[in-house]
Structure formats: structure tokens, C-alpha cells
Amino acid sequence: MSVAKLKKVIWTIFKYATLLLAIFIAVLPLVSCVITAFKTPEEYVSTNVMQLPQSWTYFENFIQAWKQANMATAFRNSFIILVFVLFGSIMTGSMLAYVLSRFKFKGNGLIRNLFLFAALLPGIAMQVPVYQIMYTLGWINSLPGYIILMCGTDVISIYIFIQYFENLPVSLDESAYLDGASYFTIYSKILLPLLKPAIVTSIILKGANTYNEYYCAQLYLQDKTRLCTVATSLYTFTGPLGSQYNLICAGVIISLLPALIVFIIFQNQIYSGVAAGAVKG
């Protein structure tokens, strides 16, 4: 075997070994979570996290997690939040991108740079003034107030929409305008339907962030009996005397199922949307 071929074989082995290691690191916590979710309280106390349960038909953890964490209310609230936040974010982001990409005016570049600057600011640093605003407006313990907060401008989605708008020919706008269409008609009837790949990409990014969001939900939705979300409901089983990780793991699996089902059903649209809606240089 030549030296060049030997180097190629070694490089191939190294690549696959690295991929297998990355897969193992990524899957190990999920496997541990599944194993723990099916253990009885006695098994959980007396065995390690990777030791298999005696029976895979023990569903009491899932039943208790569903009832004690009030997950029916949590899923309802999370669904309502997702629907309104995604709709508001997509409409706001696409409208802003339409204005910034199609209309050249003084301050256009400044606005884009300010959006970029805002994306660089750590969110935690802005929480004091944001909390003061939410408190002044009476939006603490208010689901509509939390939805408005989460509808805040998504800078990454705006740049995705801007890049996609700039790849659409301006002749579409000009032809529609000459036929008597208003700017809003051009946006809503002609350009918005062409943004499907970018919309899918933005939905994935914003949807995952909103569904998994914990900090703001914990801070602003303080009434956990009626305003809990999927992310905050799992902390029902934590406390100063210890955490019930068998119930937490069962709740995690329950919370993963909707996202997994959505991914399986719409995986072709998700893959095509991410590929076509990616930011191009």
C-alpha cells in the first residue's frame, strides 16, 4: 500500500471515528433519560443511570409527570404562545425585510447596522429595563403580554428575509405596481408566497427557541397553576430536598414527542426550507 493511500485510509478512519464519537456524546443523555423514565422509584435509587430497568412497561412515571406537572395546561399554553408568536414574528420580520430591501432611503444602512448591534447585546443584560416595562404595562402574569414580548424582532429571521428578498427580481414589483397594485398588495399577494423556504427556516429557528424558552417564562409567567409552559412545568419535580429525576425524565420524553411528531411529518419541507432559505453570500 502506497503512502498516499495509507494516509487516505487513516484520514477516513479518523473522520468516521470522530463522527461516531460526536453521535455517542449527543445520544448518551437521551438514552440515559429514556432508561431513567421507565424505572420504579426503588430502581432509580438503587441503580446507576445506565442500568436498564427490569420492565419497560412501567408507565407510572409518565402518568404522574402528566398530572403533577399540569402538562395538559402547559401544552395548551405553549401551543397558544407558539401560534401567535410565530405568526407575529413572521409577519413583522418579513414586512421589515420588505421595506429595508425594496425601499432605499436615508438611514436604511443605519437601521440594518442597529439590528446587527442589537443581536450582539446579551439578552440577560437587557432584562432589568424589560422587566420594568413589563411591570409598568401590567404584563406580569399575562399570557398576551408574554406573547408580545416573545414576538420581539428576530434579527436572524430579518436577515434571512432580506437576503431572500434581494434574490427576487425587482421586475415583479414594478410589473404589479404598473398594473395598479399597492405596495401592501405586492408584498402580501406576490412576494410573501415566494418566501416559503425562508418562512420555514424562520419557523424552525423561532419555534424551537420559543418552545424551549425557560428564563422569560419563569420570570414573567409567575402563576404556575394556570400560566405554566412545557419548559417551566418540568421544574415541578425540583426542590431543596432533591429532584425526582425519574419523573423529570418522563416529562422530558413527553415534551419531546410533539416536536418529534412534527419533524417526522414535515421533515421534507423542513430540509428543503433550510436548504433554500439559507443565507447566501
Side-chain angles (χ1 to χ4, degrees), residues 11-271:
W11 176 244
T12 302
I13 294 174
F14 174 76
K15 287 193 296 184
Y16 281 101
T18 304
L19 289 173
L20 289 174
L21 178 62
I23 292 172
F24 175 77
I25 295 174
V27 172
L28 183 62
L30 182 60
V31 173
S32 173
C33 184
V34 172
I35 291 174
T36 304
F38 284 93
K39 288 184 178 181
T40 64
E42 293 76 15
E43 285 182 298
Y44 170 70
V45 172
S46 59
T47 60
N48 61 65
V49 293
M50 295 306 296
Q51 185 172 337
L52 297 180
Q54 295 180 356
S55 174
W56 291 97
T57 59
Y58 183 78
F59 296 104
E60 188 62 29
N61 289 335
F62 296 91
I63 297 173
Q64 289 188 38
W66 181 268
K67 292 180 178 179
Q68 294 182 27
N70 199 14
M71 296 197 74
T73 302
F75 274 110
R76 183 198 65 194
N77 292 336
S78 293
F79 177 76
I80 294 172
I81 292 169
L82 269 177
V83 170
F84 284 99
V85 167
L86 291 179
F87 178 79
S89 299
I90 296 302
M91 296 305 297
T92 303
S94 59
M95 287 181 182
L96 284 171
Y98 172 63
V99 172
L100 292 175
S101 64
R102 287 305 202 247
F103 300 95
K104 304 305 177 184
F105 53 89
K106 291 183 179 180
N108 187 305
L110 176 62
I111 294 174
R112 295 193 187 200
N113 292 332
L114 288 176
F115 277 131
L116 181 60
F117 176 74
L120 299 176
L121 292 175
I124 193 67
M126 307 300 295
Q127 284 305 314
V128 172
V130 171
Y131 187 88
Q132 290 177 339
I133 294 172
M134 293 286 287
Y135 180 81
T136 302
L137 295 175
W139 286 351
I140 305 297
N141 273 333
S142 170
L143 198 62
Y146 177 76
I147 290 173
I148 294 173
L149 172 67
M150 293 303 296
C151 282
T153 304
D154 190 347
V155 179
I156 295 178
S157 295
I158 288 179
Y159 278 103
I160 291 175
F161 285 127
I162 288 176
Q163 195 67 39
Y164 207 86
F165 270 123
E166 291 179 349
N167 290 327
L168 296 177
V170 183
S171 58
L172 293 173
D173 307 47
E174 296 172 346
S175 300
Y177 186 76
L178 291 175
D179 289 337
S182 64
Y183 289 123
F184 183 77
T185 302
I186 295 171
Y187 159 78
S188 60
K189 301 294 184 182
I190 298 175
L191 298 180
L192 189 60
L194 298 176
L195 293 178
K196 181 181 176 182
I199 290 173
V200 171
T201 305
S202 298
I203 287 176
I204 295 170
L205 297 174
K206 189 69 175 181
N209 180 65
T210 303
Y211 186 74
N212 295 322
E213 208 285 322
Y214 169 76
Y215 179 80
C216 289
Q218 181 73 10
L219 183 62
Y220 298 111
L221 301 178
Q222 299 173 3
D223 186 356
K224 297 301 183 288
T225 58
R226 62 182 183 88
L227 295 178
C228 59
T229 64
V230 172
T232 59
S233 66
L234 298 177
Y235 285 80
T236 303
F237 308 109
T238 62
L241 299 179
S243 301
Q244 298 171 280
Y245 284 106
N246 54 334
L247 299 182
I248 292 176
C249 290
V252 168
I253 294 175
I254 293 174
S255 66
L256 285 176
L257 289 178
L260 181 62
I261 293 172
V262 170
F263 174 77
I264 292 175
I265 295 175
F266 299 104
Q267 58 180 322
N268 292 331
Q269 291 84 348
I270 292 173
Y271 287 137

